[in-house]
Amino acid sequence: MPKRVRTAVFPVAGLGTRFLPATKALPKEMLTVVDRPLIQYAVDEAREAGIEHFVFVTGRNKGVIEDHFDRQFELETTLEVRGKTAALSELRKDLPSAGRTSFTRQQEPLGLGHAVWCARDIVGDNPFALLLPDMLFKGEPGVLRQMMDAYEEAGGNIIAVEEVPEQEVSSYGVIARGEGPDTGFRLTGMVEKPKREAAPSNLIISGRYILQPQIFNLLANQTRGAGGEIQLTDAMQTLMHNQDFTGVKYKGRSFDCGAKIGFLTANVVYALDREDIREGFIKELRKLDLGEHF
Ligand code: UTP
């Protein structure tokens, strides 16, 4: 049995330049899809997968994320006095239990690899899940849960992948697929932002990982890669020389909410999926007479 994954790391120290000016003062991870911040969806997904400790790598301007996972006594008292019990229990249900969150700082946004490295002392010598909260996944069960199933079989490192059209591969980290089914196949290589002709497949690394702690040693010595940033993919490539990596082509779909189109699409899809909103939302959309745009 591989060692249990109890901890998840959420890197939230990026600058969110693709979403300015919204992200000038507001952390991108607090942008809401319908009525929940992106970070809450990621925490819920981790909790569903059995994660017990939530580690946030934050930066300047990100204090509000810490507040979001704290109790808000004035608000709770007011809701209680007004008898709004449903809203109150919803708020309480979202909170990780006391002592189950940790916050550390990445003082400079030097890249995802560097952000992950900042969590090394809190994670210690344990496997951990890594969730990029600006990637929102709609899956049943959640994508991290699907990955945990693969991990319980194979151990090692697990990466969630998805298919994209071939002409788009050069924007992503791309993997080479070996033997095995979609629920867990051998991953034989990976490359960051390859030219279309050089891409080993059209399967991209999509923002959910289970990693072994040896990645931290590699990140400590990792030189800057693409975009002058310390790249997680570069360190994973080295780790692949002596550890197994398994790919999971997850069931579900993703929304890149760090970019405007992905974020807007997610809002529409999640709103249409909500029983309390769907009907009213469709009514308003009909009034817009969107037909001419399609
Ligand atoms: P992104 O590249 O999507 O985030 O990183 P970004 O840099 O904030 O966005 P743009 O490209 O400027 O719009 C994926 C995740 O990694 C975190 C981000 O917060 C995001 O959740 N990240 C990225 C860090 O925590 N630190 C970094 O140095 C870079």
Side-chain angles (χ1 to χ4, degrees):
M1 267 295 259
K3 198 167 176 185
R4 226 183 112 208
V5 181
R6 298 181 56 244
T7 306
V9 174
F10 303 86
V12 292
L15 296 178
T17 55
R18 285 171 296 157
F19 226 122
L20 284 167
T23 47
K24 189 177 167 196
L26 178 80
K28 135 171 109 170
E29 298 77 12
M30 289 302 290
L31 291 170
T32 54
V33 169
V34 187
D35 52 6
R36 299 169 80 68
L38 287 170
I39 190 70
Q40 184 74 56
Y41 287 97
V43 164
D44 292 348
E45 183 188 330
R47 201 161 24 192
E48 181 205 343
I51 294 295
E52 295 167 2
H53 189 175
F54 306 85
V55 180
F56 301 86
V57 181
T58 73
R60 275 182 299 283
N61 278 343
K62 305 279 181 164
V64 63
I65 295 178
E66 205 160 338
D67 294 341
H68 179 75
F69 291 107
D70 199 356
R71 291 189 67 173
Q72 235 272 38
F73 287 101
E74 275 165 78
L75 177 64
E76 290 182 23
T77 311
T78 310
L79 289 174
E80 213 152 8
V81 170
R82 294 189 185 162
K84 302 207 168 192
T85 46
L88 190 60
S89 62
E90 187 73 12
L91 279 186
R92 288 191 175 148
K93 169 173 84 51
D94 287 346
L95 277 190
S97 4
R100 290 288 169 87
T101 52
S102 298
F103 295 84
T104 185
R105 285 258 182 160
Q106 183 192 25
Q107 286 116 332
E108 269 182 278
L110 296 177
L112 175 61
H114 182 259
V116 172
W117 181 70
C118 291
R120 66 197 179 283
D121 280 356
I122 302 176
V123 174
D125 192 23
N126 297 299
F128 63 100
L130 170 65
L131 298 93
L132 310 193
D134 53 347
M135 290 300 298
L136 179 58
F137 289 89
K138 205 164 194 317
E140 192 76 47
V143 172
L144 190 61
R145 182 61 260 166
Q146 297 177 37
M147 295 167 71
M148 287 289 200
D149 292 343
Y151 176 78
E152 278 153 24
E153 289 243 317
N157 302 273
I158 314 281
I159 295 187
V161 303
E162 66 184 69
E163 236 167 323
V164 296
E166 266 159 33
Q167 59 275 18
E168 289 176 22
V169 287
S170 55
S171 311
Y172 301 98
V174 181
I175 61 111
R177 179 172 181 163
E179 298 261 296
D182 284 356
T183 48
F185 54 84
R186 216 177 144 69
L187 213 144
T188 55
M190 61 179 83
V191 48
E192 188 65 40
K193 302 191 174 63
K195 290 220 170 72
R196 186 176 166 183
E197 321 73 77
S201 72
N202 65 340
L203 293 171
I204 62 155
I205 300 174
S206 56
R208 298 289 184 269
Y209 314 73
I210 294 172
L211 295 168
Q212 296 298 321
Q214 288 72 24
I215 194 80
F216 292 125
N217 298 333
L218 298 172
L219 285 169
N221 300 311
Q222 189 62 55
T223 48
R224 292 182 189 223
E229 295 194 332
I230 297 172
Q231 296 286 352
L232 179 65
T233 308
D234 294 344
M236 290 195 301
Q237 263 169 344
T238 314
L239 190 58
M240 272 185 97
H241 297 321
N242 43 39
Q243 283 193 11
D244 285 343
F245 275 71
T246 298
V248 173
K249 187 163 168 252
Y250 67 88
K251 288 197 207 74
R253 69 156 295 182
S254 71
F255 302 90
D256 179 3
C257 291
K260 286 156 204 166
I261 291 178
F263 172 76
L264 292 168
T265 312
N267 266 290
V268 173
V269 171
Y270 277 72
L272 289 173
D273 213 36
R274 279 268 296 261
E275 267 176 33
D276 55 331
I277 290 174
R278 187 190 308 125
E279 210 176 305
F281 187 45
I282 292 177
K283 216 162 122 193
E284 289 303 314
L285 289 175
R286 285 218 170 93
K287 283 192 214 159
L288 292 177
D289 193 13
L290 290 168
E292 64 177 291
H293 295 286
F294 294 102

